[in-house]
Amino acid sequence: MVTFEAMMGKGAKEMVTATILQNIVVLKVSRPDSPGGTGVVQLLCNPNEAQYAVLSLAQCKSVNIVRRAA
C-alpha cells in the first residue's frame, strides 16, 4: 500500500492510500541494522508490476507491505 499526495479537482491536493500490488511473491526480507534503519524486501514481479513498484517508491516517502490471510 502506498500513501501519496494526489491532485483532486480545482488543483486541490489530498493524501490518498492505494493498493498498488497484490498477490506478489516475497523472495527475501532483510531487517534494518538499527532500530531507525531501513529494511529491504525483495519481490518477484513481472515487468509491469516492477514499474508500479518503482513509481510508488519515487512518488512517496515509504511503502507499507501488508500480509493478508490466505
Side-chain angles (χ1 to χ4, degrees):
M1 299 180 82
V2 177
T3 301
F4 57 95
E5 194 171 60
M7 294 296 294
M8 306 309 273
K10 298 183 180 180
K13 295 180 181 179
E14 185 176 318
M15 296 303 289
V16 176
T17 299
T19 299
I20 301 301
L21 301 172
Q22 49 187 339
N23 301 323
I24 300 296
V25 176
V26 176
L27 296 175
K28 183 179 179 182
V29 177
S30 300
R31 296 182 180 264
D33 293 332
S34 62
T38 301
V40 176
V41 177
Q42 292 181 354
L43 306 174
L44 182 61
C45 299
N46 66 37
N48 191 42
E49 293 166 337
Q51 286 180 332
Y52 280 109
V54 172
L55 178 61
S56 298
L57 289 169
Q59 293 294 318
C60 64
K61 294 179 182 176
S62 66
V63 174
N64 297 295
I65 297 175
V66 179
R67 181 177 178 259
R68 298 186 303 182

